[in-house]
Amino acid sequence: MQRATTEATPQATTKLSSGSSSITDGKVPDFRLQKQDEGGWQVRVVSTRGSYWLRANHLELCDQGKRIDLSAANAFLRAARKDGFKTEYVGPNGSAVI
């Protein structure tokens, strides 16, 4: 019988996504919701799966330059999470995948 050692156990790798710090495997987002310096929030698609969902459910957000207010950003997050999508939130204090 062979025993597993810590050397044989794969460690969590890190993937880099553009515009953010490192994101560990299993937490790769479908969207990025980012606070803009000029005011408002911007939704960006990160995954292909997210792209299809966004086109089907929130066509108004498909324009990459579109800014939304806080209540629209919260509504988007709620809808995306309800359907099982992950969003990287990038705010003034850093980022988190939710």
Side-chain angles (χ1 to χ4, degrees):
M1 175 200 270
Q2 293 181 349
R3 294 185 182 196
T5 64
T6 56
E7 295 169 350
T9 306
Q11 300 297 317
T13 58
T14 302
K15 291 186 178 184
L16 298 177
S17 67
S18 61
S20 72
S21 60
S22 61
I23 298 173
T24 59
D25 283 342
K27 294 207 176 225
V28 177
D30 298 293
F31 306 103
R32 181 173 297 118
L33 181 63
Q34 188 166 7
K35 176 83 169 117
Q36 299 298 304
D37 291 335
E38 308 84 39
W41 296 82
Q42 187 174 25
V43 175
R44 293 181 189 237
V45 178
V46 177
S47 72
T48 303
R49 182 177 96 116
S51 174
Y52 292 133
W53 182 85
L54 193 68
R55 284 186 199 140
N57 296 289
H58 295 279
L59 190 58
E60 72 280 1
L61 297 177
C62 288
D63 178 18
Q64 290 294 324
K66 173 99 173 152
R67 302 271 196 293
I68 56 176
D69 62 7
L70 182 59
S71 64
N74 285 333
F76 169 79
L77 276 176
R78 211 173 9 259
R81 288 186 70 194
K82 185 181 89 175
D83 288 342
F85 291 92
K86 293 180 183 174
T87 302
E88 178 186 11
Y89 163 81
V90 182
N93 296 325
S95 67
V97 176
I98 50 177

